[in-house]
Amino acid sequence: MDLENKPELEIFLEDLPSKAEKVIKKSKKEAPVWTIEDSENLYGIQGWGDPYYSINAAGHVTVSPQGDRGGSLDLWSLVESLRKRNLGLPILIRFSDILADRIERLNACFAKAIARYNYPGIYQGVYPIKCNQQRHIVEAVIRYGKPYQFGLEAGSKPELMIALATLPPQLDRNEKAPKSLIICNGYKDREYLETALLAKRLGHKPIIVIDQLEDLYLVIDISQKLNIKPILGVRAKLNPKDWGQAKTSIGDRSKFGLTIPEILKMVNQLEALEMLDCLKLLHFHVGSQISNITLIKEAMREASQIYIQLVKMGAKMRYLNVGGGLAVDYDGSHTNFYASKNYNMQNYANDIVGAIQEACEQANIAVPTLVSESGRAIAAHQSVLVFDVLSTSDIPYNPPEPLDNKEHLIVKNLWEIYNSISKKNYQESYHDAIQFKEEAISLFNFGYLSLTERARAEKLYWACCHKILEITRHQDYVSDDLEDLEKIMASIYYVNFSVFQSAPESWSLNQLFPIMPIHRLKEKPTERGILADLTCDSDGKIDQFIDLRDVKSVLELHPILSSKKSTINSDGKSEKILTKDSYYLGMFLIGAYQEIMGNLHNLFGDINVVHIAMNPKGYQIESIVRGDTMTEVLSYVQYDGSDLLESMRRYTEAALAEQKITFEEAQRLLDDYEQSLRRYTYLVADSL
Ligand SMILES: *Cc1c(COP(=O)(O)O)cnc(C)c1O
């Protein structure tokens, strides 16, 4: 905070209570009390959070990592206690029990569907590593998935290396018992395939999925040289009628998969080499976040028939791998909107089991073991990003000062509009106000309006906007141009994180995540804001938020409050200083695809990560992974911390010699510099 600005800021803050008072008076008139239920509805937490996230009686977000089967914790208190451990915000909090619960749930849903349809086969899922490759998470998936023989899916060579070294091989198991699978997808070269084949000798069960014909020739060659029989799968390109938004992953032109003529060619080739018995798995993947269950049903119908045909042609088929796509309801609307899904996990499992069961029964062939590669549905819920608001910027909305007769005509015109705004003419008034404001700027540009007059005109314009906005908020319908008003008038909340580093999908793919305050939920959120991050990039903002209908362009937030706190000043006297109260926001369901895509933007590094596990007495912190320090981040771009410090030392020596800086100043500068190098790259909210 710039010291020179301090007095002014204090005045501004002294004004704050009156603004808050105004708010309270107003809300008393409109809605007598704001309740927790109001917050639940506003932020839709039951829709997207159930059963893990809810609001408690204190008006804080609570986390129940084991759903309704276990204890819960107060997220706000957790963050406060982490801060006492000197762990700065932003913090990514992962709840490993949620991950465990997701894996259990997925398996339970398939078990239930299998029982319901009397399906004579089993389900054996795999976790696609690309969804979140963090070691802690992959290891936890293996741990929690063990009772279900849950395996891993690798989509690249590095992921295969993770899978082979992390999943314990099962050398001594009898051949009949199911083994966890390693599904080998993606681009493959000789080394990839050799490694995958040799891993069979360790006791792994790698299934090499042919998703380009070239892969086949290479596998045949390598397996003959190594004399190891491969377990092969084939990825089919499907052609469902209802493409929805999954355009990129299906159809003849998608990147991966074989068309029907290519599959036929593969079968013939394998047959000619007497290797058709190696083909055991059929795979398809219609895309991620499939919002509409119809697409999955159609894909299942087509895939079931391909499976049956492969059996009839003599392949020793055993597995049907239905890929990923099981969606997460980010906005909680339970619809086929892209941020939602119109089905639940049980519907998904039922439709898959039901479709293949019926098809196999009709064709009178044995049913396959079912495999799915659900990533998002397993990993999304476990992670919450908590960050604080550093400051806000809003458009002032004090009622304008009364008109002075000598004022410029344009000011008088705007004043007149302001006074006459009503429910009947607000739309017309809005257009007039815009026109006069534009005119005021032209007059200024030609030298006909003083700076003071222009300021007066702009203030009046904003006052008009406020008045009009108040009216539109109570209308059932507002026209498009007025809908933008909410966006134009939104406060900017400057938040302590980098969208690029911590929420890249939100930035690059327009993905929506639930965002809400994690406390003060008994209080009406009277402000409407957008979030701007720490980077200098104008793209570093979030201005789309989940809503039950479509998306909203502003988020309801609370005003930042300040309070007087006593401290001891340098003379040893007790002193009351004004400090801003912390205001914490949470971004939820970000465990899938978010954490890894981050890049170093403006050199904000990795953030602090903590892992929380529940125990019978409450919770415990399993591990803390500290975020990057300045030195670490700088080294990624080849700067050496000690070189930088040395160069600063030289410059201060030179300035000292010239008597441009005092010894105290020089020492302070170097101390600050040196300490910063060891610090977290994010900001520490300061007292004013
Ligand atoms: C990305 C991907 C997945 C995971 O999809 P989710 O929607 O996260 O379940 C599974 N299989 C393949 C082949 C993929 O490319």
Side-chain angles (χ1 to χ4, degrees):
M1 192 55 55
D2 191 347
L3 276 178
E4 278 164 4
N5 276 333
K6 208 174 160 186
E8 238 178 70
L9 264 168
E10 270 180 5
I11 294 166
F12 172 68
L13 282 166
E14 301 283 38
D15 285 347
L16 260 183
S18 67
K19 188 170 153 189
E21 269 164 31
K22 208 175 85 197
V23 162
I24 290 160
K25 263 191 232 134
K26 210 174 73 189
S27 63
K28 265 192 188 139
K29 210 164 43 181
E30 283 173 0
V33 266
W34 182 262
T35 63
I36 286 159
E37 287 74 45
D38 292 324
S39 284
E40 280 172 353
N41 294 334
L42 180 62
Y43 298 113
I45 189 167
Q46 282 170 331
W48 55 259
D50 188 53
Y52 308 113
Y53 302 101
S54 54
I55 302 175
N56 65 14
H60 299 166
V61 169
T62 51
V63 191
S64 313
Q66 294 153 315
D68 39 25
R69 295 171 300 144
S72 58
L73 63 89
D74 182 311
L75 187 56
W76 180 83
S77 315
L78 173 65
V79 171
E80 288 285 297
S81 83
L82 291 172
R83 291 193 75 175
K84 288 198 188 104
R85 290 175 170 86
N86 212 5
L87 213 59
L89 295 179
I91 307 180
L92 182 80
I93 306 172
R94 294 202 193 109
F95 298 97
S96 30
D97 299 278
I98 294 187
L99 185 64
D101 190 80
R102 299 304 294 171
I103 293 174
E104 266 177 63
R105 241 168 239 267
L106 182 62
N107 282 282
C109 286
F110 271 98
K112 216 166 151 185
I114 282 170
R116 177 177 159 171
Y117 289 97
N118 266 324
Y119 189 76
I122 59 166
Y123 166 75
Q124 251 196 293
V126 293
Y127 170 73
I129 298 176
K130 74 144 190 258
C131 181
N132 191 329
Q133 296 112 322
Q134 306 286 331
R135 182 168 62 86
H136 281 100
I137 289 175
V138 177
E139 286 176 358
V141 167
I142 291 171
R143 194 162 65 243
Y144 301 128
K146 198 162 174 238
Y148 315 102
Q149 284 85 42
F150 219 66
L152 295 172
E153 185 261 0
S156 66
K157 208 161 22 168
E159 287 178 7
L160 178 66
M161 290 159 74
I162 293 174
L164 293 177
T166 319
L167 194 71
Q170 293 146 306
L171 257 183
D172 51 350
R173 300 280 297 259
N174 73 48
E175 279 298 308
K176 289 273 175 301
K179 247 185 204 184
S180 300
L181 307 175
I182 296 180
I183 304 284
C184 307
N185 282 335
Y187 290 108
K188 303 170 187 80
D189 60 6
R190 188 167 284 274
E191 209 173 56
Y192 180 122
L193 292 167
E194 238 178 65
T195 311
L197 278 172
L198 285 165
K200 250 185 102 180
R201 296 267 195 254
L202 298 180
H204 275 309
K205 190 156 184 183
I207 302 186
I208 297 168
V209 177
I210 305 298
D211 40 29
Q212 289 175 326
L213 262 186
E214 290 81 74
D215 294 351
L216 179 68
Y217 310 132
L218 208 52
V219 177
I220 292 173
D221 182 49
I222 297 168
S223 69
Q224 284 172 344
K225 282 193 181 124
L226 294 174
N227 197 19
I228 300 175
K229 220 172 166 182
I231 314 169
L232 296 179
V234 60
R235 174 162 173 179
K237 279 182 177 167
L238 300 186
N239 283 286
K241 275 195 307 257
D242 186 359
W243 277 38
Q245 346 105 24
K247 305 180 201 48
T248 50
S249 300
I250 48 176
D252 286 340
R253 305 302 303 158
S254 60
K255 215 161 81 181
F256 291 116
L258 269 56
T259 59
I260 297 294
E262 285 170 333
I263 293 178
L264 215 57
K265 198 168 167 190
M266 170 174 174
V267 169
N268 291 336
Q269 221 124 38
L270 286 171
E271 200 166 19
L273 292 164
E274 293 183 4
M275 280 178 75
L276 192 52
D277 60 333
C278 294
L279 181 59
K280 291 196 182 314
L281 175 142
L282 173 67
H283 169 48
F284 68 88
H285 173 69
V286 284
S288 203
Q289 184 67 11
I290 302 300
S291 300
N292 194 343
I293 187 91
T294 314
L295 185 61
I296 290 161
K297 284 189 197 180
E298 279 203 30
M300 272 309 293
R301 232 173 305 195
E302 194 180 347
S304 301
Q305 292 310 322
I306 300 175
Y307 184 87
I308 289 166
Q309 292 298 320
L310 287 172
V311 174
K312 288 190 172 164
M313 281 189 285
K316 293 273 174 291
M317 298 300 286
R318 266 197 64 188
Y319 302 96
L320 177 64
N321 174 357
V322 301
L326 177 53
V328 166
D329 197 355
Y330 291 102
D331 70 10
S333 66
H334 312 316
T335 61
N336 65 1
F337 188 61
Y338 69 88
S340 186
K341 59 177 172 124
N342 64 1
Y343 59 95
N344 63 28
M345 208 184 248
Q346 191 62 60
N347 304 145
Y348 176 79
N350 288 348
D351 282 344
I352 287 169
V353 175
I356 185 73
Q357 160 87 326
E358 194 188 319
C360 286
E361 210 167 79
Q362 271 178 15
N364 199 21
I365 67 160
V367 298
T369 289
L370 293 170
V371 182
S372 81
E373 304 173 339
S374 302
R376 189 185 296 276
I378 286 179
H381 296 76
Q382 67 183 317
S383 307
V384 186
L385 175 73
V386 177
F387 50 96
D388 51 340
V389 175
L390 297 167
S391 61
T392 61
S393 138
D394 18 28
I395 295 158
Y397 61 100
N398 300 328
E401 299 125 45
L403 193 67
D404 177 343
N405 233 343
K406 292 194 289 281
E407 276 182 282
H408 195 284
L409 182 63
I410 200 109
V411 174
K412 284 184 184 159
N413 286 339
L414 277 161
W415 176 261
E416 206 144 281
I417 293 172
Y418 175 76
N419 266 332
S420 65
I421 293 168
S422 72
K423 270 188 202 149
K424 286 206 185 75
N425 70 2
Y426 68 91
Q427 188 166 13
E428 190 190 341
S429 307
Y430 181 53
H431 296 141
D432 291 347
I434 291 178
Q435 198 196 330
F436 282 125
K437 187 199 72 171
E438 279 165 5
E439 245 170 66
I441 293 173
S442 322
L443 285 171
F444 176 79
N445 289 348
F446 286 108
Y448 296 119
L449 210 62
S450 73
L451 201 65
T452 321
E453 285 165 331
R454 177 170 162 183
R456 181 92 162 109
E458 282 190 21
K459 272 191 186 164
L460 272 164
Y461 165 74
W462 290 118
C464 291
C465 290
H466 269 293
K467 216 167 157 184
I468 294 162
L469 187 61
E470 270 307 307
I471 295 173
T472 62
R473 279 181 184 170
H474 295 97
Q475 304 299 309
D476 292 331
Y477 168 80
V478 286
S479 61
D480 285 353
D481 50 342
L482 283 165
E483 237 171 40
D484 281 348
L485 198 51
E486 194 73 77
K487 219 154 131 183
I488 296 165
M489 302 290 287
S491 305
I492 302 170
Y493 277 64
Y494 295 96
V495 295
N496 192 16
F497 80 97
S498 155
V499 173
F500 305 96
Q501 181 67 26
S502 299
E505 220 183 26
S506 147
W507 162 68
S508 57
L509 304 178
N510 250 338
Q511 166 77 53
L512 291 169
F513 295 97
I515 299 174
M516 66 180 283
I518 64 165
H519 58 140
R520 294 176 67 184
L521 296 166
K522 287 201 290 195
E523 229 177 279
K524 184 173 181 176
T526 51
E527 308 293 300
R528 298 186 195 201
I530 62 160
L531 308 182
D533 78 354
L534 285 176
T535 61
C536 306
D537 202 306
S538 55
D539 279 338
K541 61 170 194 240
I542 299 177
D543 57 2
Q544 286 209 312
F545 304 94
I546 60 156
D547 198 11
L548 279 188
R549 287 185 305 171
D550 214 339
V551 294
K552 56 189 181 190
S553 52
V554 291
L555 183 66
E556 291 82 353
L557 294 163
H558 300 89
I560 307 294
L561 300 177
S562 50
S563 48
K564 289 220 162 109
K565 292 214 173 88
S566 340
T567 53
I568 310 293
N569 70 11
S570 49
D571 306 329
K573 282 194 208 124
S574 151
E575 180 183 44
K576 288 213 156 156
I577 58 161
L578 206 52
T579 55
K580 267 186 293 186
D581 293 349
S582 302
Y583 187 50
Y584 301 146
L585 301 178
M587 188 188 236
F588 294 83
L589 314 189
I590 61 162
Y593 301 109
Q594 276 301 290
E595 300 174 8
I596 195 69
M597 285 162 64
N599 48 18
L600 296 170
H601 214 84
N602 277 123
L603 297 183
F604 286 105
D606 273 355
I607 63 170
N608 291 327
V609 180
V610 295
H611 287 234
I612 304 293
M614 301 303 282
N615 63 27
K617 290 205 198 94
Y619 69 86
Q620 83 202 44
I621 298 174
E622 274 186 318
S623 64
I624 294 179
V625 186
R626 292 230 174 232
D628 286 329
T629 63
M630 242 59 97
T631 308
E632 280 162 334
V633 166
L634 288 168
S635 74
Y636 301 153
V637 282
Q638 289 88 44
Y639 288 97
D640 181 280
S642 48
D643 285 354
L644 292 175
L645 189 62
E646 201 37 53
S647 145
M648 287 299 285
R649 228 188 280 282
R650 269 201 317 276
Y651 294 148
T652 42
E653 282 305 323
L656 274 171
E658 296 284 325
Q659 297 186 344
K660 294 266 203 281
I661 194 169
T662 67
F663 274 110
E664 289 72 28
E665 287 169 338
Q667 202 45 49
R668 188 161 185 163
L669 175 61
L670 288 175
D671 283 351
D672 277 353
Y673 198 95
E674 196 174 355
Q675 272 186 24
S676 290
L677 283 172
R678 277 184 267 122
R679 287 262 158 79
Y680 198 25
T681 51
Y682 294 85
L683 304 193
V684 182
D686 210 353
S687 59
L688 291 170

